[in-house]
Amino acid sequence: MTLPLPRAAHPLACLALALAAAFAAVPARAADEAPRSERLQVTDPYLEMRTGPGRGYPIHHVAARSEWVEISLRYTDWYKVRTESGKEGWVHRRQLVTTLTEAGVSRSFRDIAFDDYLQRRVEFGAGWGHFKQEPMLKFWVGYKLSESIGIEGTVGQVQGVFSGTSFWHVNLQLEPFSDQRISPFFAAGVGNFRNIPNTSLVAAIPTDAKLANASVGVRYYLTERFVLRADYSIYTAFLNDTRSAEYRALTGGLSFFF
């Protein structure tokens, strides 16, 4: 693989600015309306109702056993309910799985395996693709810092006709719809790029440069602990103070999480 000529413009900088603007413009996720209003009867000793959809919000009311509550909204694993006395609050899904419907049966809230996927913290994966039209193999490991933000490290290897390339980078990743089975994500980060030409080439010089990248991709929860993933990335290697080279890569792969 031969290094391309310097580019007059630096498109990655424009893309990074646009990506940052997109991150800032993503609004807080609105609660999803429940499919229909339904009443559930509390069967546990009590049901803790919080002021917001998260464990960081305080408990402001407790619904007692045999009391009826009505679901009005949903946000990921949190449901907004209203008691017969008019008290409203947010309840986690785990507290609702033991409630009974008006027909006297339990209501299924979500597939347990999918719930494990939503609560994942660590993800390992491998993918195959093309880096500037040449075959590439890469591996990644990610860690979720919150529901929508994570950090991911990647190493890759490209075997070209005229040279071999290896790289690594660490990315900050944003996944605004992380509670969905199909979930797009955006990422940007920095790393290192190393290109070693074939010894048969005349006057070929190895390259060791700093690397920046921006990516857009999508995850699809497959089954059990497996996730399909595809991403498109723009890499920029800073060859020296005045010269840089841009590469584009498309990758598909499989991840395992726990």
Side-chain angles (χ1 to χ4, degrees), residues 85-218:
S85 62
K87 296 288 186 180
E88 289 187 334
W90 292 85
V91 179
H92 194 271
R93 180 188 63 83
R94 289 195 187 94
Q95 288 194 284
L96 293 175
V97 293
T98 58
T99 57
L100 298 177
T101 66
E102 292 180 297
V105 297
S106 298
R107 180 190 184 283
S108 176
F109 282 87
R110 184 158 47 215
D111 185 347
I112 298 300
F114 185 63
D115 189 54
D116 289 340
Y117 166 68
L118 296 182
Q119 297 181 33
R120 71 192 186 282
R121 277 287 177 258
V122 180
E123 181 179 330
F124 293 94
W128 181 89
H130 284 88
F131 185 98
K132 198 177 179 294
Q133 305 303 316
E134 294 176 339
M136 171 185 65
L137 179 65
K138 72 177 185 180
F139 301 88
W140 61 84
V141 57
Y143 180 79
K144 290 189 69 175
L145 302 174
S146 67
E147 287 185 356
S148 301
I149 300 175
I151 188 169
E152 185 173 275
T154 301
V155 295
Q157 179 70 43
V158 183
Q159 188 57 54
V161 177
F162 302 108
S163 65
T165 299
S166 62
F167 63 89
W168 64 265
H169 54 83
V170 178
N171 283 8
L172 185 65
Q173 195 171 93
L174 175 68
E175 191 174 4
F177 306 108
S178 59
D179 61 333
Q180 303 297 315
R181 195 179 192 97
I182 300 178
S183 176
F185 64 86
F186 310 92
V190 295
N192 183 263
F193 170 92
R194 183 170 177 79
N195 178 267
I196 302 177
N198 293 342
T199 55
S200 59
L201 297 179
V202 178
I205 302 175
T207 301
D208 194 333
K210 293 181 180 179
L211 184 72
N213 79 291
S215 303
V216 59
V218 62

Side-chain angles (χ1 to χ4, degrees), residues 37-40 47 49 61 63 67-73 79-91:
S37 179
E38 60 180 311
R39 298 173 71 237
L40 299 172
L47 194 70
M49 298 169 59
H61 184 73
E67 192 171 352
W68 288 90
V69 297
E70 183 177 303
I71 296 177
S72 59
L73 296 174
Y79 292 78
K80 190 175 184 180
V81 302
R82 180 196 297 267
T83 66
E84 292 182 307
S85 62
K87 296 288 186 180
E88 289 187 334
W90 292 85
V91 179

